[in-house]
Amino acid sequence: MFSFLIQSKIFSPSRYEWFTYVGRTPVEVSFRNKPIMIEKGMRFGVRKSVNGKDIRLIFDNDPNRVITLSLDQAQALAKGVK
């Protein structure tokens, strides 16, 4: 049988809204079960998913790594952006 790997389309960084995190408390997100800490001074982009249910996040230094945020993560990031 054939096995297929399905990937989400990676959108251009211009399709994201960009922010710099200025919060005091780092926010943890994960990519393929590896934690990533978003700390003061980090720049990231966010957009809604195509289905409108999720929030996607990328970093300006690695736009091909797309992270899906939980509602709690998105709210924590929103509190610490400028």
Side-chain angles (χ1 to χ4, degrees), residues 11-56:
F11 287 99
S12 165
S14 64
R15 302 264 312 259
Y16 288 77
E17 191 171 346
W18 290 90
F19 300 95
T20 300
Y21 188 72
V22 295
R24 293 183 183 187
T25 306
V27 176
E28 182 178 314
V29 297
S30 64
F31 181 73
R32 296 186 179 163
N33 296 322
K34 294 184 182 178
I36 300 170
M37 298 304 289
I38 299 176
E39 300 173 327
K40 189 172 186 173
M42 291 182 76
R43 186 166 156 74
F44 61 90
V46 294
R47 68 169 177 83
K48 281 191 174 185
S49 63
V50 174
N51 67 10
K53 295 180 182 178
D54 297 313
I55 302 291
R56 307 284 193 234

Side-chain angles (χ1 to χ4, degrees), residues 67-79:
I67 298 167
T68 300
L69 298 178
S70 69
L71 180 58
D72 291 338
Q73 291 169 325
Q75 289 173 340
L77 282 173
K79 290 179 184 177

